[in-house]
Amino acid sequence: MGRFLIEGGKKLEGEVKVSGAKNAVLPILAGTVLSQGECRIGRVPKLRDVKVMKEVLESLGAVVKEENDEMVVDSSNLDSYEIADSLMRKMRATVFLMGPLVARFGQVKISQPGGCSIGPRPIDLHLKGLKALGVEFVQKHGCLEGKAKNLKGAEIHLDFPSVGATENIMMAATRAKGKTVIYNAAREPEIVDLQNFLNRLGAKVRGAGTDVIKIKGVDKLKSIDYQVIPDRIEAGTFLVASAITKGDLIVNDIIPEHIESVIAKLVEAGVNLQVDGDKIRVKGNISWDGVNIKTLPYPGFATDMQAQLMTFLSIAKGTSVVTETIFENRLKHADELRRMGANIKIEGNSAIVQGVNKLSGTTVEATDLRAGAALVLAGLAAEGETIVENIYHIDRGYERLTEKLSNLGAQISRTD
Ligand code: EPZ
């Protein structure tokens, strides 16, 4: 299952360039199904989840070539609208293919996606939106089959600004007859990136980044080249890595406004942080203050940065309250941090974090992608050696993490 060995106490110094955004490239790769030609996607991170998406596209009949950090997807001969259960089980983001497949074939067949360690992850909002566009679903033998004679534009009100549901509905609506309006749409930067990609294909999507997105259906979508945005969560993780190791790190080639909420919290905690164009420099201080965090849909504080901040706050001066409102079960990293000496009490969906002087290295277990990242940060700051188990979770969202951290002065290695 793979493990990281980390010798703590080393300051991170130098510069790091983050990779393309996992949560932008996955829906965009799914969206190449709409083009019926060849699309060249740039700044594609080499991640486990991207590898699975490539397998899924190939299982549908696409020809996918990797050229450095580009992925060329030729979906002209796509001949299936069915995603194998084995692939669905590997990654729930295969759900993003529902919209494009019903738009292209008027049909889709997937197995009911499972939950994962951070929560049950239902897809009721995805189904509600697609049904509004005219898709009829039948559930049998654990499979979900969707059929639509023709997709018709509709007004859709999302009960919750779900990122995935917004993206699936956007992609299906590009080929629906007439106009679709999504109310209470998710506003994440990855939604804006998907809109820009779809419009380059020839779709007519407006309003991404706000809570109302309008889509006018078109008959055909062409093939194009497109470069995805930098990964805001990887960027935020490195900012915390510099602050927690009292280092001096420049994270470059990023879009700072995508992590405004994280920047504001780090500054509130007393971190010395300078934004300069597409770079952010963090010079770690000797100490920092506890702050309260409450995760919210964008532009609120990103749930994908909650675990990393909890690690940072576990050795802050004073007490912090970290409240997770997006996922039902995303505080499990607290148990592992406690094993390293953190003083954290869970009350409902909040963690009361009393800052301690230091964390001490031991063996801990990654339970999901961002919890794993939080434990790497803890190992970088802890006294002695930390072993992080089950690092396949971390490989899903961080490209060449060992190499990037070692280049900055960390003492980290991996054994698979
Ligand atoms: C996306 O997941 C991201 N994944 C997640 O990143 C991220 O944490 C999440 O958005 C929130 O920002 C990708 O983009 C691949 P949601 P998604 O639909 O689309 C509930 C990471 O670490 N919900 O906005 O699944 C759901 O259970 C990952 O990179 C429904 O109830 O997120 C959750 O509690 C983790 N019904 C909440 O909404 C639905 O139909 C947010 O889910 C859909 C969602």
Side-chain angles (χ1 to χ4, degrees), residues 22-23 26-27 92-93 96 118 120-126 160-165 167 188 232 303-304 326-328 330 369-370:
K22 164 177 91 78
N23 292 348
L26 292 174
R92 68 177 305 287
F96 290 139
I118 59 177
R121 310 289 294 267
I123 58 166
D124 54 309
L125 300 176
H126 298 243
F160 178 85
S162 153
V163 172
E167 291 166 339
E188 275 69 4
R232 61 191 169 102
T303 173
D304 292 348
I326 305 292
F327 288 103
E328 297 81 355
R330 203 178 199 177
L369 164 55
R370 306 303 174 184

Side-chain angles (χ1 to χ4, degrees), residues 54-62 79-80 82-84 87:
K54 175 172 181 285
E55 286 169 33
V56 171
L57 291 171
E58 287 167 338
S59 75
L60 297 170
D79 54 12
S80 164
E82 189 171 338
I83 300 174
L87 289 170

Side-chain angles (χ1 to χ4, degrees), residues 240-283:
V240 176
S242 180
I244 204 169
T245 59
K246 308 178 181 108
D248 183 355
L249 177 63
I250 294 175
V251 182
N252 63 31
D253 205 355
I254 60 172
I255 303 173
E257 54 269 16
H258 286 174
I259 40 173
E260 256 319 304
S261 63
V262 175
I263 292 168
K265 279 298 166 186
L266 289 174
V267 169
E268 187 187 332
V271 170
N272 180 346
L273 182 149
Q274 282 112 25
V275 179
D276 170 16
D278 66 349
K279 295 181 173 43
I280 296 180
R281 179 173 185 177
V282 166
K283 288 182 74 167

Side-chain angles (χ1 to χ4, degrees), residues 195-213:
Q195 168 179 279
N196 295 339
F197 167 74
L198 293 173
N199 287 341
R200 288 282 297 282
L201 287 180
K204 293 188 178 351
V205 188
R206 296 287 176 275
T210 74
D211 58 354
V212 180
I213 299 178

